[in-house]
């Protein structure tokens, strides 16, 4: 087992605090020296594709954090490579198993609410409302895979897909509503019908920036 990071000293400190015996600054070397069979990619999204493809080429099972990839082309390439390699491959949608979302999905799956006609998910979060909020730099850098849709909206999209079903089209707006200089959205509104599968119209809406903590 080992921890890989770009800063050797910082990686060493993190490994010590977590009881990880070895540290590296190169993933390929880490896989070779540890004999790793599973790799978790928890880096800024700009690096997800290259690191995942390297791990896949070494035959490692992989858990990749979200935002999964920079664009659909890179995402498809990663998925196809994992499928060809026959490895276990997962995206880190950990909120799928929180009690509220699990109950939501189970209620629909067991028919407790009948056939859903419309699902609306709305959330207002003060996490990034203040321009002074300390967030990772990539969160608001579109070139690095940032933006609120990928950072948090991916969890809502996963919730709708797993609980209600796949969608066949979408429409979206990606505004910036906080007083910050950013190059990626800090809010979003998305709707997607899934009529191809079940005839239901499913819409989700989420806005990233709301009032800050009281």
């Amino acid at each position: 087992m080992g921890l890989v990071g770009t800063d050797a000293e910082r990686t060493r400190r993190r490994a010590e605090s977590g009881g990880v015996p070895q540290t590296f600054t190169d993933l390929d070397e880490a896989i070779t020296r540890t004999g790793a069979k599973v790799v978790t990619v928890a880096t800024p999204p700009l690096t997800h594709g290259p690191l995942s493809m390297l791990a896949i080429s070494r035959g490692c099972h992989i858990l990749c954090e979200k935002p999964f990839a920079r664009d659909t082309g890179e995402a498809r390439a990663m998925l196809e490579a994992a499928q060809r390699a026959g490895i276990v491959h997962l995206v880190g949608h950990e909120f799928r198993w929180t009690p509220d979302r699990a109950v939501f999905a189970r209620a629909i799956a067991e028919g407790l609410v009948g056939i859903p006609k419309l699902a609306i998910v709305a959330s207002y979060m003060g996490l990034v409302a203040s321009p002074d909020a300390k967030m990772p730099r990539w969160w608001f850098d579109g070139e690095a895979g940032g933006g609120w849709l990928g950072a948090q909206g991916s969890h809502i999209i996963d919730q709708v897909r797993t609980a209600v079903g796949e969608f066949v089209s979408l429409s979206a707006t990606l505004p910036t509503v906080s007083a910050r200089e950013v190059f990626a959205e800090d809010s979003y509104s998305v709707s997607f019908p899934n009529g191809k599968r079940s005839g239901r119209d499913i819409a989700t809406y989420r806005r990233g920036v709301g009032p800050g903590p009281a």
Side-chain angles (χ1 to χ4, degrees):
M1 181 171 63
L3 182 65
V4 183
T6 57
D7 185 306
E9 178 58 26
R10 184 171 58 185
T11 302
R12 183 191 63 78
R13 293 196 302 268
R14 288 178 174 175
E16 285 183 353
S17 67
V20 179
Q22 301 183 73
T23 62
F24 306 89
T25 57
D26 181 82
L27 177 59
D28 194 43
E29 178 188 4
I31 294 172
T32 297
R33 292 180 56 183
T34 64
K37 301 300 182 184
V38 180
V39 170
T40 297
V41 178
T43 56
L46 182 66
T47 64
H48 286 182
L51 293 176
S52 296
M53 295 298 267
L54 171 59
I56 292 169
S57 72
R58 297 296 304 272
C60 296
H61 306 293
I62 187 165
L63 170 65
C64 184
E65 268 298 339
K66 35 61 57 188
F68 177 50
R70 290 173 293 180
D71 53 45
T72 54
E74 184 176 61
R76 289 192 181 102
M78 294 162 67
L79 175 60
E80 290 169 1
Q83 291 173 333
R84 287 195 302 270
I87 61 165
V88 176
H89 48 286
L90 300 170
V91 176
H93 287 303
E94 70 276 13
F95 292 154
R96 188 185 298 185
W97 291 280
T98 60
D100 56 336
R101 298 193 184 192
V103 170
F104 174 79
R106 183 179 301 172
I108 292 175
E110 295 178 355
L112 300 181
V113 296
I115 299 176
K117 299 294 186 180
L118 178 69
I120 299 176
V121 182
S123 176
Y124 293 88
M125 299 181 67
L127 183 62
V128 296
S130 170
D132 298 324
K134 294 186 180 301
M135 308 303 297
R137 288 191 300 271
W138 64 262
W139 269 44
F140 296 110
D141 183 351
E143 294 298 318
W148 196 246
L149 178 62
Q152 289 293 329
S154 52
H155 288 299
I156 296 297
I157 293 170
D158 178 67
Q159 180 183 14
V160 172
R161 291 180 64 221
T162 55
V164 183
E166 293 287 356
F167 51 89
V168 296
S169 64
L170 67 86
S171 62
T173 58
L174 304 175
T176 299
V177 300
S178 63
R180 69 173 73 235
E181 293 183 4
V182 299
F183 301 96
E185 79 284 350
D186 62 9
S187 295
Y188 66 85
S189 175
V190 183
S191 64
F192 27 70
N194 71 338
K196 182 177 180 181
R197 179 171 179 176
S198 64
R200 299 190 294 264
D201 287 328
I202 306 302
T204 76
Y205 168 81
R206 181 168 182 171
R207 198 163 184 107
V209 174

